Amino acid sequence: MMVQSDTPAQSGTQIVVDGVGRKFDGGMVAVENVGLTVAAGEFLAILGPSGSGKSTLLRMIAGLDRPTSGSIQINHNGDEHPGRADVAFVFQDAHLLPWRNVLRNVALPLELIGVAKSDRIAAARQSLARVGLADVERLYPSQLSGGMRMRVSLARALVSQPKLLLLDEPFAALDEITRQQLDEQLRRLWQETGMTVVFVTHSIMEATFLAERAIVVSKRPARIVLDHRLALPPDRTSELRGRAEFASEMGILLAALEKNF
């Protein structure tokens, strides 16, 4: 299998969530009657309080968990069952293999689907360059800072050129400056690739900066209480965070959170 690593994903994938609920053994309901459509190439933030069920919703979109009611369809160019390489997930922890160096960690998804060694190494090097880590490929996870480990995790997610990228509060444990830098980098990568991105966070500032559209979910069980398209420019830099329109958009999300906390 050959990887065309010099060409980004041409388009994202559509997500259709129809009346989805998730009830766990013991009776706890995490998600209740959630319905939304995410357009191909859209950047959606899911915002809600800790423990609200937003991560459960993301895991169901990823296929890591199954709804107990309703349905989820992932559609790319009419295909309702995209391949593994078309969907990537970035967790709260980088989950890097400590015995593999950075380059081999990033190449792992391609190794698992049978890509030839020379092709997967070339693709991994390009993916590392895209996140600004071309000079650390021989280092091991223990030699990296927290921010660098998350960059490696992001490079690993991007190496297969996914049509859909799902992120579950990946920068939550980082200091504020590093987190803002990674938000800016992720936003640029989304613009370059055209992939669909769904980003779960409990940070109002992060959701406002990153997304084209944000949904706010209630405390558990998660229900959508606000579906809001952000009125901000497509090109976003750090100075945007100090502008009045940014504060206004944050205020809209905050009001929805406070009302349903």
Side-chain angles (χ1 to χ4, degrees), residues 191-214:
Q191 289 178 307
E192 291 170 6
T193 61
M195 61 186 168
T196 305
V197 178
V198 181
F199 191 102
V200 162
T201 182
H202 61 260
S203 167
I204 299 168
M205 179 178 288
E206 187 166 60
T208 304
F209 183 85
L210 280 172
E212 296 294 289
R213 174 185 169 203

Side-chain angles (χ1 to χ4, degrees), residues 92-113:
Q92 294 181 30
D93 186 275
H95 291 296
L96 303 178
L97 301 179
W99 59 88
R100 281 184 172 238
N101 65 23
V102 164
L103 184 66
R104 293 182 64 220
N105 263 287
V106 174
L108 180 60
L110 300 182
E111 182 179 338
L112 293 175
I113 59 174

Side-chain angles (χ1 to χ4, degrees), residues 30 154 228 236:
L154 184 57
H228 178 65
R236 300 178 190 176

Side-chain angles (χ1 to χ4, degrees), residues 126-175:
Q126 185 179 43
S127 195
L128 281 168
R130 293 176 74 187
V131 300
L133 290 180
D135 58 341
V136 304
E137 66 174 53
R138 295 186 182 277
L139 298 183
Y140 286 81
S142 63
Q143 298 173 291
L144 305 178
S145 68
M148 292 171 75
R149 286 194 293 271
M150 288 312 307
R151 278 188 168 92
V152 174
S153 181
L154 184 57
R156 183 178 58 189
L158 294 172
V159 73
S160 60
Q161 300 178 42
K163 306 295 189 298
L164 172 60
L165 179 63
L166 306 170
L167 305 102
D168 187 7
E169 302 191 57
F171 311 143
L174 302 177
D175 65 86

